Amino acid sequence: MLYEELQPIDIFRIKLAQPFSDYDRQLLTLFYQPLIGPDAMSLFMSLWSDAEGDQDAEHNHYYLMNLLTMPLGRIFEARISLEAIGLLRTYCKREVNDRTFLYELLPPLDAKTFLDDPLLSTFLFSKIGEQAYRNLRARFLDDNRIDEGYEEVSRTFLDVYKPIRYGVSEDLEDTGAIKGRIESNGIPFAHSDFDYQLMCSGLSEQMVPKASLAMLSKELVEKLAFLYSLTPIDMQKVIMMALDENNLLPEDRVRKAAVDYYKMNISKSAPKLEKVFSKERMIPLEEPKTREDKFIHYLENTPPREMLRDYTGNEPLPVDVELAERLVTVHGFPVGVVNVLLHYVIIRNDGKITKNYAERIASHWKNKKIMTAKQAMEISRKEHDQYLKWQNEGSKKTTSRKPSREEKVPEWFYNEEKDQQPASDLDPSIDEKRKQLLEKLEAMKSGVKS
């Protein structure tokens, strides 16, 4: 499902809604980072830095994978976290087989608006704890009071300036709209499950005047109902509790009444929010169990540069990295397929990557529409003899190979065949070499986290 949403070859551009300030950086770090996590924060800051350099620049998502050293899946999750919290709007343009994304970075809410929002403030409270939350509020308290004994003596504009009339200048004519500061709209929230009309129908005019109810924000009601898991009947009771002596419904009283009702009837603990994906959008994957499944998971979630670094223990050669990027950007392969291809070629070539050989296999896989690491492994087993023939054709050596020589292949190559071949048919010397190869690969992968 991920490849329907995002692929490494997809292009993206960045747009800043407005220049960000140091105050915005403080808000992002102190208020938003605990909610969105380090991956989303890294993505936002990287996009911000890139946009400040050149907003017209275009990159593919493989560039982000290398920049952030993250697999594509984590980048996608970071992106939708930013969208959900109101820091990013994503637009997509499709042209034939190409897809281009426009990422618009939005400013964070100011401290007062953030802390006044029941969803965001409660979410932050549940993440950082009571004491840290209180300290954070205290840090941003309004401290514009003037000490006693001071009297303001500032001049006004009219005290200093007066107009001089020379006639109308053509230069002052309106030639277009001027862009002003864009204020954040907060989190994009739509709670369609809450029946607002049912709540209103149960409140009589005598108890709750319609004028007072009309002044109450519908979005606030829906946010409180979502946050505290309240039904329309529950919210009727909350509103009754929130009425003041003038039969009005101030928002701060409604928020406090919702908290009191929640503590009395649902739980003493503060509500918590957790990140979820709808089934239509992201199908949850089972935890890999077998050794091959774990290796496939590693291949599909590791940038090729990092896979090459894990295999050799050193920084990969630029020519090998360039080939990996070409396989992603030109051939359009997912990283899992590229990793299987490079892994196969490296072991077949005694640790070397031959570009022509790799691209010939890649062309074959492109025609076969190979799109997953598992499919790449299966076709490697099936077409091994053909790939061996191509390698021999590309070799400058004309001497034929000895029939008794065991061809080097990755460990996963034998996972299906070794259970089907009778033990009596195996040459003991070949079996010993295979065991040595498996031990070598196992030692190589021992430092790789699945």
Side-chain angles (χ1 to χ4, degrees):
M1 296 296 291
L2 173 62
Y3 298 116
E4 296 179 8
E5 294 273 6
L6 192 64
Q7 294 188 32
I9 59 173
D10 290 336
I11 301 297
F12 72 90
R13 296 176 55 237
I14 312 167
K15 176 185 177 183
L16 284 181
Q18 65 187 36
F20 292 161
S21 65
D22 184 64
Y23 178 64
D24 293 321
R25 180 189 56 77
Q26 291 184 52
L27 294 172
L28 289 167
T29 304
L30 299 175
F31 288 90
Y32 284 85
Q33 184 171 228
L35 309 185
I36 61 179
D39 284 359
M41 187 68 178
S42 296
L43 176 60
F44 188 92
M45 300 303 288
S46 297
L47 294 177
W48 178 2
S49 298
D50 252 22
E52 285 185 323
D54 183 5
Q55 289 200 43
D56 294 328
E58 292 187 350
H59 304 283
N60 56 44
H61 283 77
Y62 187 72
Y63 163 81
L64 277 182
M65 293 169 66
N66 282 330
L67 180 66
L68 301 171
T69 61
M70 286 185 200
L72 191 65
R74 281 173 57 189
I75 290 176
F76 174 70
E77 290 187 23
R79 191 194 87 186
I80 62 176
S81 294
L82 294 174
E83 294 167 356
I85 209 70
L87 293 174
L88 179 71
R89 274 199 289 257
T90 302
Y91 305 90
C92 182
K93 180 172 67 175
R94 292 177 173 84
E95 297 176 344
V96 192
N97 296 323
D98 296 330
R99 197 163 48 176
T100 302
F101 290 91
L102 175 63
Y103 294 144
E104 182 182 19
L105 301 183
L106 304 174
L109 291 169
D110 64 85
K112 182 181 186 306
T113 308
F114 185 102
L115 294 173
D116 284 346
D117 187 286
L119 273 182
L120 292 173
S121 57
T122 304
F123 194 8
L124 182 63
F125 181 91
S126 67
K127 286 289 187 179
I128 66 177
E130 180 177 358
Q131 188 57 50
Y133 181 79
R134 290 183 182 276
N135 293 340
L136 194 56
R137 283 187 66 94
R139 174 173 175 170
F140 286 89
L141 285 177
D142 185 7
D143 193 22
N144 290 328
R145 294 168 297 177
I146 305 300
D147 293 342
E148 293 184 6
Y150 286 91
E151 178 184 357
E152 184 174 7
V153 294
S154 307
R155 265 66 172 181
T156 67
F157 183 85
L158 295 178
D159 291 333
V160 180
Y161 297 98
K162 67 177 181 178
I164 300 177
R165 304 183 184 278
Y166 290 112
V168 179
S169 171
E170 294 183 357
D171 294 336
L172 296 180
E173 292 182 0
D174 185 11
T175 57
I178 304 299
K179 180 179 179 181
R181 177 176 173 83
I182 298 175
E183 298 298 335
S184 173
N185 293 323
I187 55 177
F189 182 86
H191 186 46
S192 58
D193 293 339
F194 183 79
D195 194 336
Y196 188 81
Q197 292 303 320
L198 175 61
M199 183 200 74
C200 293
S201 64
L203 296 171
S204 65
E205 172 71 19
Q206 291 75 18
M207 298 298 295
V208 182
K210 288 185 178 179
S212 299
L213 191 60
M215 295 178 65
L216 184 63
S217 166
K218 179 181 177 182
E219 183 179 10
L220 175 65
V221 172
E222 293 183 341
K223 282 184 178 181
L224 292 172
F226 169 79
L227 177 62
Y228 297 111
S229 303
L230 302 179
T231 66
I233 307 302
D234 294 330
M235 283 305 301
Q236 291 173 6
K237 299 174 183 177
V238 168
I239 288 176
M240 295 291 294
M241 293 168 59
L243 279 171
D244 64 10
E245 62 275 7
N246 298 317
N247 282 338
L248 298 178
L249 290 168
E251 288 193 355
D252 58 340
R253 287 181 64 92
V254 176
R255 285 197 294 267
K256 186 177 185 305
V259 173
D260 293 340
Y261 184 87
Y262 173 81
K263 289 181 178 179
M264 288 187 295
N265 298 279
I266 299 178
S267 174
K268 299 293 184 183
S269 303
K272 295 183 178 181
L273 300 177
E274 62 177 353
K275 189 186 297 183
V276 296
F277 299 101
S278 63
K279 293 181 180 179
E280 294 80 7
R281 185 155 193 168
M282 185 67 66
I283 299 176
L285 300 176
E286 293 184 0
E287 187 72 19
K289 297 177 181 178
T290 66
R291 189 164 62 176
E292 179 172 320
D293 288 342
K294 291 179 180 179
F295 191 49
I296 289 175
H297 179 79
Y298 163 76
L299 292 172
E300 291 192 331
N301 290 275
T302 306
R305 178 197 292 267
E306 188 176 337
M307 189 280 294
L308 293 172
R309 189 185 299 119
D310 289 339
Y311 180 80
T312 62
N314 301 305
E315 191 65 27
L317 296 174
V319 66
D320 295 341
V321 174
E322 183 181 342
L323 173 61
E325 292 178 352
R326 177 177 172 79
L327 293 173
V328 171
T329 57
V330 177
H331 292 276
F333 286 129
V335 293
V337 175
V338 174
N339 282 335
V340 173
L341 176 54
L342 295 177
H343 195 253
Y344 178 81
V345 171
I346 286 173
I347 295 177
R348 287 287 298 114
N349 269 354
D350 293 325
K352 295 177 293 184
I353 297 179
T354 307
K355 180 180 178 181
N356 292 340
Y357 181 45
E359 293 225 6
R360 189 166 186 181
I361 297 177
S363 178
H364 182 233
W365 289 6
K366 184 72 173 179
N367 294 334
K368 294 291 185 179
K369 302 186 184 321
I370 303 300
M371 292 302 293
T372 68
K374 188 172 182 64
Q375 291 174 343
M377 288 180 173
E378 290 172 353
I379 197 172
S380 298
R381 299 180 183 118
K382 182 179 178 182
E383 303 290 344
H384 175 60
D385 290 342
Q386 179 64 54
Y387 300 159
L388 178 59
K389 180 180 177 182
W390 289 346
Q391 185 182 24
N392 291 338
E393 289 175 356
S395 175
K396 295 181 180 180
K397 298 180 180 179
T398 56
T399 55
S400 60
R401 298 177 180 268
K402 297 180 180 179
S404 60
R405 177 181 173 183
E406 172 72 2
E407 295 295 340
K408 289 185 178 181
V409 289
E411 173 189 7
W412 45 260
F413 184 86
Y414 293 108
N415 283 4
E416 291 185 353
E417 296 180 354
K418 65 181 180 183
D419 295 332
Q420 300 172 0
Q421 186 176 6
S424 59
D425 294 340
L426 292 175
D427 185 328
S429 62
I430 293 178
D431 189 43
E432 182 63 29
K433 291 180 180 179
R434 181 180 301 167
K435 288 180 179 179
Q436 293 175 2
L437 176 61
L438 293 178
E439 290 173 359
K440 178 181 178 182
L441 288 173
E442 188 65 30
M444 180 275 293
K445 293 192 308 180
S446 62
V448 178
K449 296 181 179 179
S450 60

